[in-house]
Amino acid sequence: MLECGPNLAQSCLLCHLPALAAENLTQCPTQSPLHSSSRLLLPLSRIIDGVTYPGNIKSKDEAQEQYRAAVGRGESAGLIKVTGRKTEQFQVSVNVAPAAKVTFELIYQELLRRHLGTYELLLKVQPQQLVKHLQMDIHIFEPQGISFLETESTFMTQELAESLTTSQNKTKAHIRFKPTLSQQQKSPDHEDTVLDGEFIIRYDVNRSASGGSIQIENGYFVHYFAPENLPTMPKNVIFVIDKSGSMSGRKIHQTREALIKILNDLNPKDQFNLIVFNEEATQWKPSLKQASAGNVKEATDYAASIHAQGGTNINKAVLMAVDLLDNSNRAELLPAGSVSLIILLTDGQPTSGETNPTVIQRNVKEAISSKYSLFCLGFGFDVDYAFLEKLALGNGGLARRIYKDSDSALQLQDFYQEVANPLLLAVAFEYPSHDVEVITQDSFRHHFKGSEMVVAGKLPDQGPDVLSAKVSGQMHLQNITFETKASVAQQEKEFHSPKYIFHNFMERLWAYMTIQQKLEQIVSASDAELEALKAQALELSLKYNFVTPLTSMVVTKPEGQDQFQVAEKPVENGESLGLAVETQDTVSKYITYVNVTKVGASRLSPGVGLKNVGARIFGQPALPRQPAPAGQPSFASLPALPGFPGPDHFPYGPGFGLHPEHCISLGSPSLNKLLSQHPSPPTTLAPLQAPTIILSLPGPSVDQLCIDMKPSERFMNLLTDADQGLTVTGQYDKQKAGFSSIKIIFRNPELLVHASPDYVVVIRNQKHTGYKWKQTVFSVFPDLKMTMDKRGLLLLKGPDKVTIGLLSRDSPQKGLLLFLNDTHHLSSNIDGELGQFYQDVLWEPPEGTDSNQRKLRVQGNHFLAIRELKLDYQQESPGTEISCWTVKI
């Protein structure tokens, strides 16, 4: 079960190994898909024939000494680390005796961080075989109220979707996924499973006028703070971009792409500049420039010309950025109440100029002197991330790794969105001194829109009946103070009621946050402070049984078997951990039980709500895998002959379509008769064309319009429905015979889908998510569902909404195709190139005897409509023949 409560999420992963023959080997992979920086691991325990063999948390030195001693005795001991972008894996092995049963239990707790206005929980669902009884439960409890809840899956099919249920009230939500064996199968004749991907839950909570809430349990409290509806402060931002030789190829291309989009997102009140560097550093302009349309256009042209070559002089580039801000400050060119940021992007280590990381850190810290904030982005794994992290944390910012992947440009854009809207500076939390005994960090340099600040603390034994708090900060040109209060008795009662919440989680959250903050302080601490910080973090880690970079987990085994293994906490620069269970001799791979308990959902920036998300995935192995049956023979089909069927075969007119009797098959009498009437048929038959756009007409007619578009250099307004809050724009490319770009904007929910022949980007709450075509996608938003199948058919549909479909064809060189269904949901307040066909459409009588041509009169405009055979791509590939009215616009 996975439970989310106030800031700490607890998950329990259980893996059951059945009785096996001697020397059998079974693997039970369990993956906890959480970023290593936000997760603390609790001890792994093992139950063998009813006897529990616990794991123990020890200091790293003590654990390593036991590890070396075991190896010296010739015993098997393992220290296994595997890192991933979203997962940590812990591996343990054990011999299982005949008729024995082994259960592994791993519990971790995670801080749910609010990111771009959303809390996100990601679960890996990869059983690797059919599972007879598989179930996943996620429970969410938020006393403030759940403002929205969304789910997304990268493996969900329409059949699997029937096993997914979601129930929600004001403060609680329950998501259950319980697929049957047949729903898990790729096909009835194969034993392969379709369950191989991610399941993601996103949500947020309601906000009060005080900007946050206080939650209390068993003498500990958590204060979440994320004020809404504050004006964005203007910012002065300098982008420092590495263009050294190691950035060549895809990295510099993605950097240019992201930088151009980021520049276009600048607020007109912002000031900015660019510095590009290799062994030298160059400013785009000698001073900061206002983010006017003209300056942004000039800057994007400059960014598009950046090419990679040369060495890496980080010291010179960052000091140049500081000098630029200093000069503007002395000249009083930095607006009052503005925020100054430096954003550094690099993929390597300093190789030119000053190359000593310690000297560079000292130079930059002395130059910035707490006046500005430095954010460091490390591109890929060749970068010295520890150096960048220390550089950022020492100067009021943070470091982030940009993974070298197809969505690197989106990662860069998302990071910028995190810092694009500063709301407050110098934020301070204040509590009555006699009401709190100890608290975590209570002052923050800045607060950005979509994030959250969290403070946890301990109340004295004779604590207050009501805990009050003040939060003060600097807005643009004025100061502001927020006040809030919480009844201790009422809070204690509220958090004891839900059965699925594990208790004492606020105490553990306080310990968790304290450890994390000590570890962050260690990064930039002086030698004199280092040992004291390490000792404090180690003491808490051992007391609360957390695996951290200072401790290790020693896994003991029964006498007579290998004695133990050691699992360590990964760090950003190193490898990550994981748990995979092995037993000798064997059979299959499966997850039998995964229980993920999210205890107080933690968010490490400004704070909010109680995250108690409980997720449980469990099951038993299915029947043994059977060999796949022999492949089925392929069948050929004959393309339709031009002009068949024609006017003599059936009536063409509004309301009529192809009748089954007019469809021909290979070897049929009707085909032979047809061929006999054409003694010299062409050697190559022209295939049916798929129209760029298919529109279902309103009213009782079953007819469809097939629209052929004229090329466009700019985005055309295809459809605007003000009442539905829907806008569809597109750019048609004649060479691609389809759209080179389509944008779909929904007002409710607020969502932007930007599709090109290469990929689909979905922007929700300022977060960019990229999808490759033909990737399985199943996302459920409030009142809207988005799906994509293996054919590359993307559908956006919802109750009382028009259905919008996009199809990617076999090659990016071919444009996108568009269709609209459920058009009866369109309102009368509609406009656009396609929208016009849903307002006062009049079919004029045929001219002469040719019933295959008609004229449409739409809002005073006349269009020639010709009845033609086309390929309907909305159903199974390669499409279905249809007769439709073709209109060119």
Side-chain angles (χ1 to χ4, degrees):
M1 177 181 293
L2 195 116
E3 300 180 356
C4 287
N7 273 49
L8 199 56
Q10 175 164 304
S11 299
C12 174
L13 307 180
L14 298 180
C15 186
H16 301 291
L17 300 184
L20 302 170
E23 303 303 318
N24 271 1
L25 173 65
T26 296
Q27 291 186 340
C28 173
T30 61
Q31 298 185 343
S32 48
L34 309 169
H35 294 288
S36 59
S37 62
S38 65
R39 179 190 309 148
L40 291 176
L41 187 72
L42 301 177
L44 173 80
S45 61
R46 188 169 53 262
I47 304 170
I48 302 180
D49 291 334
V51 180
T52 299
Y53 299 88
N56 297 304
I57 304 299
K58 297 182 179 294
S59 69
K60 190 175 292 293
D61 291 342
E62 185 179 356
Q64 287 289 349
E65 182 59 34
Q66 290 192 19
Y67 172 76
R68 285 191 291 268
V71 172
R73 294 193 299 267
E75 297 172 351
S76 171
L79 178 59
I80 306 170
K81 300 180 182 179
V82 181
T83 188
R85 177 170 167 181
K86 296 181 180 178
T87 63
E88 292 179 5
Q89 298 177 344
F90 295 79
Q91 296 190 347
V92 181
S93 64
V94 62
N95 294 323
V96 179
K101 178 183 178 181
V102 180
T103 298
F104 286 87
E105 181 181 59
L106 174 69
I107 297 176
Y108 65 81
Q109 294 181 330
E110 177 198 11
L111 184 70
L112 285 189
R113 301 172 186 264
R114 189 169 186 250
H115 174 72
L116 297 175
T118 303
Y119 301 108
E120 180 176 296
L121 172 69
L122 183 150
L123 300 173
K124 290 284 187 180
V125 183
Q126 296 174 316
Q128 303 181 32
Q129 75 164 35
L130 298 179
V131 180
K132 186 177 294 184
H133 302 293
L134 187 146
Q135 181 173 324
M136 178 170 67
D137 289 279
I138 298 99
H139 294 275
I140 300 174
F141 172 46
E142 289 289 354
Q144 287 177 261
I146 300 170
S147 61
F148 73 84
L149 175 67
E150 303 170 356
T151 61
E152 177 183 340
S153 167
T154 60
F155 60 82
M156 196 74 67
T157 62
Q158 291 295 338
E159 292 76 16
L160 280 172
E162 297 174 2
S163 63
L164 177 65
T165 59
T166 300
S167 58
Q168 179 184 347
N169 60 25
K170 183 179 178 181
T171 60
K172 299 176 184 178
H174 178 205
I175 300 167
R176 170 170 289 176
F177 179 56
K178 189 179 180 181
T180 64
L181 202 59
S182 61
Q183 287 173 326
Q184 299 174 45
Q185 289 178 279
K186 285 187 176 179
S187 67
D189 300 328
H190 293 80
E191 296 295 320
D192 292 335
T193 178
V194 297
L195 301 181
D196 184 12
E198 299 174 351
F199 188 79
I200 304 169
I201 299 97
R202 300 186 183 98
Y203 72 98
D204 198 14
V205 301
N206 297 321
R207 309 286 163 180
S208 65
S210 65
S213 68
I214 298 176
Q215 297 167 354
I216 303 169
E217 190 215 29
N218 289 348
Y220 286 82
F221 75 92
V222 184
H223 186 181
Y224 304 96
F225 183 71
E228 297 286 293
N229 304 318
L230 298 180
T232 299
M233 304 175 72
K235 59 184 180 294
N236 316 295
V237 57
I238 299 178
F239 300 96
V240 183
I241 308 299
D242 185 348
K243 66 166 189 174
S244 62
S246 58
M247 284 284 290
S248 62
R250 184 166 189 164
K251 282 192 281 190
I252 198 67
H253 172 78
Q254 291 177 318
T255 299
R256 287 196 301 260
E257 177 186 345
L259 184 56
I260 288 170
K261 291 181 179 177
I262 287 170
L263 290 170
N264 281 308
D265 283 342
L266 287 170
N267 189 305
K269 295 181 180 180
D270 294 338
Q271 295 188 114
F272 75 104
N273 206 334
L274 305 174
I275 293 176
V276 294
F277 70 96
N278 42 31
E279 63 271 7
E280 297 295 332
T282 306
Q283 293 180 188
W284 167 57
K285 295 290 183 182
S287 62
L288 290 171
K289 292 295 179 182
Q290 202 73 30
S292 64
N295 286 336
V296 168
K297 176 63 170 64
E298 189 177 348
T300 56
D301 291 343
Y302 178 80
S305 67
I306 298 175
H307 296 285
Q309 60 179 1
T312 308
N313 193 335
I314 294 175
N315 186 70
K316 186 173 184 178
V318 176
L319 293 181
M320 179 180 287
V322 178
D323 286 342
L324 187 55
L325 288 172
D326 282 344
N327 293 336
S328 297
N329 195 21
R330 282 191 290 269
E332 298 183 349
L333 298 177
L334 300 183
S338 63
V339 180
S340 297
L341 312 174
I342 299 171
I343 299 177
L344 167 67
L345 171 67
T346 182
D347 76 328
Q349 304 182 27
T351 61
S352 299
E354 179 56 66
T355 59
N356 186 320
T358 303
V359 175
I360 296 173
Q361 289 159 3
R362 184 174 64 246
N363 292 344
V364 171
K365 189 163 187 176
E366 290 176 355
I368 289 180
S369 190
S370 301
K371 294 172 291 188
Y372 322 118
S373 296
L374 173 63
F375 297 87
C376 299
L377 303 178
F379 207 140
F381 283 90
D382 295 328
V383 70
D384 185 346
Y385 189 83
F387 160 64
L388 292 182
E389 186 176 40
K390 189 168 186 176
L391 198 61
L393 292 177
N395 294 284
L398 57 85
R400 181 71 53 79
R401 187 184 297 281
I402 301 300
Y403 291 87
K404 189 177 177 181
D405 210 337
S406 59
D407 68 341
S408 297
L410 299 181
Q411 295 176 55
L412 289 169
Q413 292 174 62
D414 275 355
F415 171 79
Y416 172 73
Q417 288 300 330
E418 288 185 57
V419 299
N421 298 291
L423 302 181
L424 292 172
L425 290 178
V427 182
F429 289 69
E430 183 182 349
Y431 308 93
S433 58
H434 56 277
D435 286 348
V436 296
E437 189 171 296
V438 61
I439 58 174
T440 56
Q441 179 183 346
D442 59 356
S443 62
F444 303 85
R445 182 173 289 196
H446 28 51
H447 167 59
F448 295 101
K449 182 179 180 180
S451 64
E452 182 178 66
M453 285 176 277
V454 182
V455 175
K458 184 179 185 302
L459 303 177
D461 292 339
Q462 300 298 322
D465 294 330
V466 175
L467 178 62
S468 60
K470 289 183 180 181
V471 182
S472 59
Q474 298 174 12
M475 293 174 57
H476 179 48
L477 302 180
Q478 72 178 77
N479 296 330
I480 188 171
T481 299
F482 298 86
E483 297 186 9
T484 188
K485 295 181 179 181
S487 166
V488 175
Q490 182 180 343
Q491 290 288 311
E492 292 276 7
K493 181 180 178 181
E494 191 165 41
F495 290 112
H496 273 83
S497 57
K499 296 180 180 179
Y500 53 81
I501 291 181
F502 66 89
H503 299 289
N504 293 324
F505 65 89
M506 289 193 187
E507 179 181 358
R508 299 190 65 77
L509 174 57
W510 166 79
Y512 175 98
M513 293 180 62
T514 302
I515 293 169
Q516 290 289 349
Q517 290 168 9
K518 297 294 183 186
L519 294 175
E520 287 183 4
Q521 292 170 21
I522 286 172
V523 172
S524 55
S526 65
D527 292 340
E529 302 168 322
L530 197 60
E531 291 307 314
L533 287 170
K534 282 185 177 180
Q536 293 165 12
L538 176 60
E539 180 183 3
L540 282 174
S541 299
L542 295 175
K543 178 179 179 180
Y544 288 95
N545 284 324
F546 285 141
V547 177
T548 71
L550 302 176
T551 58
S552 294
M553 177 172 62
V554 179
V555 184
T556 60
K557 295 183 180 180
E559 290 296 330
Q561 294 193 19
D562 298 341
Q563 294 302 302
F564 50 76
Q565 291 191 335
V566 181
E568 292 188 338
K569 177 70 180 173
V571 293
E572 248 299 344
N573 257 6
E575 302 292 311
S576 190
L577 312 170
L579 167 67
V581 207
E582 301 177 11
T583 57
Q584 307 223 337
D585 227 336
T586 25
V587 218
S588 56
K589 297 180 179 179
Y590 63 98
I591 290 183
T592 51
Y593 184 92
V594 178
N595 178 338
V596 192
T597 312
K598 271 211 143 166
V599 184
S602 271
R603 336 195 232 241
L604 219 141
S605 301
V608 159
L610 175 68
K611 268 67 313 346
N612 239 312
V613 178
R616 176 177 298 155
I617 307 176
F618 56 87
Q620 299 171 358
L623 298 174
R625 187 185 303 273
Q626 300 295 326
Q632 299 295 322
S634 59
F635 294 92
S637 60
L638 182 70
L641 292 172
F644 179 83
D648 297 335
H649 291 79
F650 63 93
Y652 285 106
F656 288 88
L658 278 175
H659 191 278
E661 69 185 36
H662 300 122
C663 299
I664 57 177
S665 60
L666 196 62
S668 69
S670 57
L671 175 61
N672 295 332
K673 178 180 178 181
L674 175 66
L675 293 178
S676 68
Q677 296 171 357
H678 298 269
S680 302
T683 55
T684 301
L685 301 178
L688 290 179
Q689 297 298 314
T692 304
I693 303 170
I694 297 179
L695 303 180
S696 59
L697 295 177
S701 172
V702 295
D703 259 324
Q704 293 176 311
L705 283 184
C706 294
I707 307 294
D708 286 340
M709 304 289 297
K710 294 178 181 178
S712 59
E713 293 184 2
R714 297 184 177 182
F715 274 87
M716 294 183 293
N717 176 21
L718 299 176
L719 178 68
T720 299
D721 188 332
D723 291 354
Q724 281 223 346
L726 171 66
T727 302
V728 182
T729 59
Q731 196 170 13
Y732 183 78
D733 188 334
K734 186 176 181 180
Q735 301 265 331
K736 294 179 180 290
F739 288 98
S740 59
S741 184
I742 289 181
K743 291 181 181 179
I744 304 168
I745 301 173
F746 291 93
R747 188 178 62 217
N748 184 27
E750 291 187 7
L751 186 78
L752 168 62
V753 179
H754 187 185
S756 72
D758 298 300
Y759 50 78
V760 178
V761 176
V762 176
I763 304 176
R764 170 78 165 142
N765 296 319
Q766 300 178 313
K767 177 179 174 61
H768 298 69
T769 305
Y771 304 100
K772 297 176 182 177
W773 285 105
K774 302 185 179 180
Q775 170 185 344
T776 300
V777 177
F778 192 94
S779 297
V780 180
F781 307 101
D783 299 320
L784 182 69
K785 182 167 68 175
M786 182 181 76
T787 63
M788 180 160 59
D789 60 20
K790 296 295 185 181
R791 292 186 298 138
L793 179 61
L794 179 71
L795 291 176
L796 294 150
K797 60 171 62 178
D800 303 322
K801 282 184 168 62
V802 61
T803 295
I804 301 173
L806 297 177
L807 181 71
S808 167
R809 294 185 283 177
D810 296 335
S811 166
Q813 278 66 50
K814 295 182 180 179
L816 301 176
L817 305 180
L818 168 70
F819 67 84
L820 302 180
N821 276 332
D822 302 316
T823 52
H824 59 281
H825 290 309
L826 291 171
S827 73
S828 58
N829 191 10
I830 191 171
D831 193 13
E833 296 291 335
L834 305 182
Q836 63 182 324
F837 292 101
Y838 295 94
Q839 281 194 349
D840 303 323
V841 177
L842 178 64
W843 288 90
E844 295 186 353
E847 296 181 358
T849 58
D850 189 355
S851 60
N852 293 328
Q853 292 191 11
R854 301 286 294 273
K855 281 188 178 180
L856 280 176
R857 191 167 68 194
V858 181
Q859 297 180 330
N861 297 318
H862 287 80
F863 297 92
L864 177 63
I866 301 174
R867 174 70 81 175
E868 294 180 333
L869 282 182
K870 294 287 187 177
L871 196 64
D872 184 355
Y873 44 81
Q874 300 178 48
Q875 305 301 323
E876 294 299 321
S877 181
T880 306
E881 294 181 11
I882 61 169
S883 174
C884 67
W885 292 98
T886 301
V887 175
K888 294 184 178 181
I889 62 174

